[in-house]
């Protein structure tokens, strides 16, 4: 059960006050009893002294025991005490509580402590139970006679009377202590409540503080410890707000860095990783906790680099390595810097720059230059050779000259097609093309393209099967470039089917919010090992046959870039000697796009 500070403070104050009052009551009761007892004893002693002075000499009529007993009765009645006269031999010669006729049977008092004290030191005192009276009594005795004692005068007072008086006084004290306790508890509770007020405000502000709200301020203008605590809390809140803001900035900067950054502890546990590193190595944010590293460097190359940096305590800058990641094998430019404090390593900071794309582009550039050079050299060599042959005299041989000129013409056309494809691909990849998108029917584009290839289809006696529904959804595309896509796919299919039983099927259908166009043939097919590279520049499965048929090796690369520019996708399925199927997926035109084109 949760209890407030004010309740606990009030409880503490109440317990302290209660025990203080209780101890005070016990102490005051003891002191009161002692003081009251001493007061009664002193009062009796004074009365004894007064009467002893009056009885300095023995009265003559005391020879009659009735006279001495009467004197004891008179003094006892006047002073409200028990008066006893005792002879030096211990016989009782007068007692205010006992009649004269019974004095002879009273026990001898010579051995009583107060009597012995009076005879030996001039004053005797004793507290005991009286067998005669049947009650606890206080006895005080003094000797009578100045020069020589002739008797002992003893005054006694029942303690019952003392207790009754003490009880009355205690009632008054108890009442006073009760009201003191009550008022003390009330004022203690009020004090605890007032003291707990600032603490409650501090606790409420601290609760906001714990939940990330650093805007709470404490307006406590006091110079005591609570005021110091409030000022310290306000200062800490400002510092935490500033640090939290800096942390947000650092997180934003850290998260926006494209390079993968991994921070490890001295044992190789990952304590920090930015989103780029998490994506690269398949790390979950929950796996990366500074207070308890849950993952370790498992990549052999990174582990070797980590151990090397720890051994030398020297940074490793811009070292390239191939690392297997969640995204496959990647080329990383790695920097590893140890964190040194007081001469000891506290971990390592890895900065991993993924340069796989750069190295791939460099390889593609090299391949491109090599391929273009090769593709240009082949027709140019052929043109140069036949031209030199003609210049050396073959031009006069009309039959051979016409053959040479036809070869030169064919090679020049091949060279022109290559240059045009290179220029088209360059413009497409550069993004400088302004596409004119409009809602288009895929069937219209396919039928227009088929007309261009009707002669080639008839020449090779290819069976063409068109399966395009009339109610097929339109696509949002550029007509000219969509025709280029269909033309390249249909041209490839025509080139690679046989002349006797060639079949080509063009199918279009809707698939969700996409429209798919498939160009299927029963040609030579593509080996499985070449499927991943079929859309690269200048890549040919059968280079010699492709060149003989006038292919440049750029058609499928152009198709891929045009489809990607239309936010679509192109795929290929193929089996060797069984044919190939190219599938182009394009987004269907939305309602707004259809209205725009209407």
């Amino acid at each position: 059960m949760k209890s407030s500070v004010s309740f606990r403070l009030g409880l503490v104050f109440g317990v302290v006050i209660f025990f203080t009052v209780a101890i005070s009551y016990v102490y005051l009761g003891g002191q009161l009893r002692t003081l009251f007892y001493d007061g009664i004893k002193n009062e009796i002693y004074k009365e004894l002294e007064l009467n002893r002075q009056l009885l300095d000499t023995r009265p003559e009529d005391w020879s009659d025991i009735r006279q001495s007993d009467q004197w004891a009765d008179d003094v006892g009645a006047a002073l409200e005490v028990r008066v006893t006269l005792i002879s030096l031999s211990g016989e009782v010669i007068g007692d205010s509580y006992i009649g004269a006729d019974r004095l002879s049977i009273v026990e001898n008092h010579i051995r009583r402590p107060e009597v012995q004290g009076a005879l030996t030191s001039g004053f005797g005192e004793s507290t005991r139970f009286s067998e005669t009276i049947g009650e606890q009594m206080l006895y005080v005795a003094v000797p009578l006679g100045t020069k020589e004692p002739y008797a002992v005068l003893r005054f006694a007072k029942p303690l019952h009377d003392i207790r009754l008086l003490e009880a009355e006084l205690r009632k008054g004290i108890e009442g006073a202590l009760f009201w003191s306790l009550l008022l003390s508890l009330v004022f203690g509770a009020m004090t605890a409540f007032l003291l707990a007020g600032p603490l409650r405000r501090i606790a409420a502000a601290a609760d906001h503080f714990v939940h990330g709200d650093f805007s709470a301020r404490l307006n406590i203008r006091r110079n005591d410890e609570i005021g110091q605590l409030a000022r310290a809390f306000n200062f800490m809140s400002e510092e935490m707000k500033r640090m939290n803001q800096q942390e947000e900035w650092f997180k934003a900067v850290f998260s926006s860095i494209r390079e993968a950054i991994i921070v490890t502890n001295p044992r190789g546990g990952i304590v920090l990783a930015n989103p780029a590193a998490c994506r690269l190595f398949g790390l979950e944010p929950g796996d990366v906790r500074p207070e308890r590293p849950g993952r370790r460097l498992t990549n052999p190359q990174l582990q070797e680099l980590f151990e090397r940096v720890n051994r030398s305590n020297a940074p490793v800058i811009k070292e390239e390595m191939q690392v297997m990641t969640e995204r496959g094998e990647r080329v990383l430019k790695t920097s590893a810097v140890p964190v040194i404090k007081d001469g000891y390593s506290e971990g390592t900071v890895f900065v991993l720059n993924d340069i796989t794309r750069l190295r791939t582009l460099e390889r593609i550039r090299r391949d491109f230059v090599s391929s273009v050079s090769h593709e240009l050299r082949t027709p140019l060599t052929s043109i140069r050779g036949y031209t030199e042959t003609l210049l050396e005299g073959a031009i006069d041989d009309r039959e051979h000259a016409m053959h040479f000129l036809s070869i030169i013409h064919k090679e020049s056309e091949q060279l022109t097609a290559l240059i045009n494809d290179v220029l088209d691909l360059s413009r497409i990849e550069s993004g400088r093309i302004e596409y004119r998108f409009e809602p288009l029917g895929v069937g219209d584009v396919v039928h227009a393209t088929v007309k261009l290839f009707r002669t080639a289809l008839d020449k090779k006696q290819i069976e063409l099967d068109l399966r395009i529904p009339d109610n097929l959804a339109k696509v949002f595309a550029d007509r000219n470039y969509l025709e280029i896509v269909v033309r390249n796919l249909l041209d490839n299919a025509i080139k690679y089917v046989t002349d006797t039983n060639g079949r080509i099927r063009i199918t279009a259908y809707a698939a969700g919010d996409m429209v798919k166009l498939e160009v299927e043939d029963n040609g030579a097919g593509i080996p499985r090992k070449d499927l991943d590279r079929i859309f690269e520049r200048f890549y040919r499965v059968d280079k010699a046959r492709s060149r003989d048929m006038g292919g440049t090796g750029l058609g499928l690369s152009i198709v891929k870039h045009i489809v990607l520019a239309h936010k679509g996708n192109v795929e290929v399925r193929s089996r060797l000697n069984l044919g190939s199927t190219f599938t182009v997926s394009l987004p269907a035109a939305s309602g707004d796009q259809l209205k725009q084109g209407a």
Side-chain angles (χ1 to χ4, degrees), residues 106-125:
V106 175
E107 183 183 359
N108 191 287
H109 283 36
I110 193 64
R111 298 295 180 184
R112 302 295 168 87
E114 66 275 10
V115 176
Q116 290 292 322
L119 294 176
T120 57
S121 62
F123 178 78
E125 174 189 352

Side-chain angles (χ1 to χ4, degrees), residues 392-461:
E392 289 175 356
I395 193 172
D396 295 330
D397 186 351
R398 184 173 179 80
E399 181 180 353
H400 289 88
M402 291 302 294
H403 175 67
F404 292 159
L405 288 174
S406 65
I407 293 176
I408 291 173
H409 182 263
K410 179 181 178 181
E411 295 291 347
S412 63
E413 285 183 342
Q414 179 74 12
L415 188 60
T416 301
L418 173 63
I419 293 174
N420 287 335
D421 282 350
V422 170
L423 291 175
D424 288 342
L425 182 59
S426 176
R427 285 187 293 111
I428 292 171
E429 288 184 337
S430 66
R432 293 194 299 268
I433 296 178
E434 292 184 4
Y435 292 96
R436 297 181 179 180
F437 292 96
E438 59 179 329
L440 296 175
V442 174
D444 298 337
V445 176
V446 171
H447 285 97
T449 305
V450 168
K451 288 180 181 179
L452 298 177
F453 290 91
R454 177 54 61 185
T455 302
L457 290 168
D458 294 340
K459 183 178 179 181
K460 296 187 71 171
Q461 298 180 358

Side-chain angles (χ1 to χ4, degrees), residues 59-80:
E60 295 180 356
D61 56 351
W62 276 20
S63 57
D64 184 2
I65 196 172
R66 293 186 180 276
Q67 295 299 322
S68 60
D69 182 65
Q70 184 62 43
W71 181 89
D73 292 341
D74 294 340
V75 172
L79 299 179
E80 296 183 351

Side-chain angles (χ1 to χ4, degrees), residues 414 417 421 453 456-457 460 462 487-499 502-504 521-525 540 542 545-556:
Q414 179 74 12
D421 282 350
F453 290 91
L457 290 168
K460 296 187 71 171
I462 298 173
R487 188 163 61 243
N488 275 288
L489 295 178
L490 184 56
D491 184 44
N492 273 351
I494 292 172
K495 287 177 181 177
Y496 288 99
V497 297
T498 62
D499 296 341
R503 293 191 306 274
I504 298 176
D521 64 70
N522 64 341
R540 298 184 180 93
D542 187 347
R545 182 181 179 188
S546 178
R547 187 176 292 110
D548 291 340
M549 291 185 295
T552 63
L554 296 175
L556 290 179

Side-chain angles (χ1 to χ4, degrees), residues 566-581:
H566 283 68
K567 299 181 180 179
N569 186 34
V570 59
E571 299 174 340
V572 60
R573 303 189 308 275
S574 182
R575 296 179 63 185
L576 195 62
N577 298 323
L578 293 178
S580 304
T581 302

Side-chain angles (χ1 to χ4, degrees), residues 454-473:
R454 177 54 61 185
T455 302
L457 290 168
D458 294 340
K459 183 178 179 181
K460 296 187 71 171
Q461 298 180 358
I462 298 173
E463 179 185 342
L464 180 64
D465 183 12
L466 297 179
R467 298 184 180 182
I468 303 176
D470 295 333
N471 60 347
L472 182 65

